Amino acid sequence: MTDLKRAPRTVSPSRPAPMPPPGQAPSYGLLRAPCTLRALRRTAERVDAATPANRDRAVDALRAFAILGVVLGHWLVTALVADGTGLRAASPLGHMPWLAPVSWAFQTLAVFFLVGGHVATRGYASARARGVSYGGWLSARLTRLFRPVAAVLALWTTTAGLLLISGAEFVTVHTLVKLALSPLWFLLVFAALTAATPLLTRLHPLWPLVVVLHVDLLRFGLGAPSWLGWINLAAGWLVPYTLGAAWTRGELDRRRAGVLLLTGGTAVTAALVAWAGYPASMVGVPGAEVSNLNPPTLAAVTFGLAQCGLALLLRERLRRAMRRPVGWAAVALVNLSAMTIFLWHQTALMATTATGLLAGRLPGLHTLPDGLDWVAARLMWLPVFMLFLAGCWAAFRSCEHGVGRRGGRRRSRVVRTHRTPGSAATERPRHV
């Protein structure tokens, strides 16, 4: 009798995994990986083997670090103080301003816009070369961007309604909803810049920087209305976005460009903080008269230039580091779930806070952030925040990947593209 038992399917590091149908990308088994160390290492090796040789892994690493920087920054500087029967927002930076350097390390949005501008301009050029229309290209990008938003809006609309019906204070509900939905402002700005990509592919970053400079001169120097500052919400983030376009054009390939951005941005930011009265914190502080972030100020933009310069200088080191399968698999996993992590990290913080209230006012979670004891306690809460975020990821990650045409889940955008034999050797590293 013929033995019909199938041999186990294996994928060797020298032979990539089978290619998916056009329009799909492999999941690499990341979402179902066994939890043993040896199995995880084998999975990491499969991820490494299935990644196109000409993919610029530094781009994915920079995006992962930018997302994780924002998440950790929010978890460290956002406090929900239990005051009587309600909750109010506070920040350790308001009580301990000497902790401002913490915001320098974790305010990484400029790097995200740098990578976003680079990926969008390169992707648009690739789409045009393939004959894809602007409408088709934009629709695909915005769908991937906003698909996970519906679940966040639905959950928090329901939660806010239930809290108000149950008698919760309006101030408490407003605080929670504002924190939960605060990431959406970023998506709206990013979507607007993405839509304008064809107009921005050749725009020099100096032009939006000049706009930011003049807006701040009018606001802070000539007493213009404060609402004028919201022009910087577009112009400020347009600076790193157009830097990403310059990266695509090859204008930032030399090390000199990164050094100039890093040193120049650092020097100007230090001067603005020391002599022009700009806040040292690069994030908003409740109760502060001026925020560097809402809307962005000249100091926030020049600080972002310094961050972009550092990111450019680290590209080669990141490419070397990402050759290690375990490190690359971790970065790929973050990129698989970037929007889920970003949209739900504040919800994870608030879920932890609400659950903790069952045990009373807990240090670092419900207490006033006015001392180093609060900082030490908050650091101990970080693993709990991660656990709640993992729960959100498990519940809502399918919203990010969507459903394919045949009813199956869409796969990762860390994609293997079809190429003719030998084309990979002639192409530069790229990100799709």
Side-chain angles (χ1 to χ4, degrees):
M1 181 179 293
T2 304
D3 186 5
L4 299 178
K5 183 178 180 181
R6 293 184 178 180
R9 181 182 178 182
T10 60
V11 179
S12 65
S14 61
R15 184 179 181 183
M19 294 168 59
Q24 290 187 353
S27 66
Y28 305 144
L30 277 175
L31 303 181
R32 302 184 301 274
C35 293
T36 65
L37 184 60
R38 183 175 298 177
L40 286 175
R41 185 173 294 277
R42 287 198 300 266
T43 299
E45 291 172 353
R46 288 197 297 269
V47 172
D48 183 67
T51 302
N54 68 337
R55 185 179 184 84
D56 192 347
R57 300 184 183 193
V59 174
D60 298 281
L62 288 173
R63 174 164 44 213
F65 293 154
I67 288 292
L68 295 179
V70 171
V71 170
L72 289 176
H74 281 162
W75 285 351
L76 290 172
V77 303
T78 302
L80 289 171
V81 180
D83 187 6
T85 59
L87 293 171
R88 62 181 177 87
S91 172
L93 300 176
H95 298 275
M96 297 172 284
W98 50 270
L99 285 177
V102 172
S103 68
W104 305 347
F106 295 109
Q107 210 296 71
T108 52
L109 282 176
V111 177
F112 194 95
F113 278 94
L114 170 74
V115 172
H118 174 58
V119 171
T121 51
R122 194 155 196 168
Y124 178 65
S126 175
R128 289 193 62 184
R130 300 193 309 271
V132 178
S133 68
Y134 165 74
W137 170 81
L138 181 63
S139 175
R141 291 195 68 84
L142 294 188
T143 298
R144 288 192 294 263
L145 190 65
F146 284 105
R147 186 187 294 121
V149 172
V152 178
L153 291 176
L155 184 141
W156 276 102
T157 299
T158 303
T159 300
L162 292 175
L163 288 173
L164 291 173
I165 292 173
S166 64
E169 293 185 357
F170 178 79
V171 174
T172 297
V173 177
H174 178 266
T175 298
L176 296 178
V177 173
K178 183 179 179 180
L179 284 176
L181 302 185
S182 59
L184 296 184
W185 74 261
F186 152 83
L187 291 183
L188 294 175
V189 175
F190 193 81
L193 296 184
T194 300
T197 294
L199 302 176
L200 305 177
T201 54
R202 308 298 300 181
L203 182 66
H204 196 284
L206 183 61
W207 292 110
L209 181 61
V210 169
V211 173
V212 174
L213 171 63
H214 282 80
V215 167
D216 274 19
L217 284 175
L218 290 173
R219 280 201 301 160
F220 303 132
L222 300 178
S226 59
W227 58 261
L228 196 66
W230 291 105
I231 295 176
N232 286 351
L233 188 60
W237 299 118
L238 191 55
V239 174
Y241 194 87
T242 50
L243 271 177
W247 178 1
T248 301
R249 297 193 299 267
E251 298 174 6
L252 304 179
D253 288 346
R254 293 185 178 180
R255 182 177 177 82
R256 178 182 178 184
V259 172
L260 181 61
L261 287 169
L262 176 58
T263 56
T266 301
V268 174
T269 304
L272 291 173
V273 171
W275 297 307
Y278 284 85
S281 172
M282 290 299 152
V283 298
V285 179
E289 184 178 352
V290 177
S291 167
N292 272 324
L293 197 57
N294 299 312
T297 64
L298 181 62
V301 174
T302 57
F303 176 77
L305 290 176
Q307 282 188 322
C308 291
L310 180 60
L312 293 171
L313 291 174
L314 291 175
R315 284 178 294 181
E316 287 304 322
R317 291 187 179 182
L318 287 173
R319 286 167 186 150
R320 291 194 297 269
M322 291 299 102
R323 292 172 188 166
R324 301 173 181 174
V326 174
W328 169 239
V331 166
L333 178 59
V334 173
N335 277 272
L336 277 172
S337 307
M339 291 307 303
T340 302
I341 293 171
F342 181 76
L343 288 172
W344 291 97
H345 74 277
Q346 292 284 55
T347 299
L349 182 150
M350 288 181 282
T352 306
T353 303
T355 304
L357 278 174
L358 300 176
R361 296 177 77 250
L362 301 177
L365 199 59
H366 311 108
T367 54
L368 195 66
D370 58 355
L372 287 177
D373 55 338
W374 184 93
V375 175
R378 173 51 63 100
L379 291 174
M380 297 180 66
W381 282 108
L382 291 183
V384 184
F385 296 157
M386 294 178 190
L387 183 62
F388 273 83
L389 180 56
C392 293
W393 173 82
F396 298 106
R397 62 179 171 83
S398 60
C399 299
E400 179 166 0
H401 298 285
V403 178
R405 295 178 182 177
R406 298 181 181 179
R409 183 178 299 147
R410 289 187 183 271
R411 304 303 181 110
S412 161
R413 290 186 59 237
V414 185
V415 299
R416 173 177 297 281
T417 55
H418 291 278
R419 297 179 180 84
T420 57
S423 63
T426 60
E427 293 183 9
R428 297 174 57 187
R430 74 189 193 97
H431 183 89
V432 178

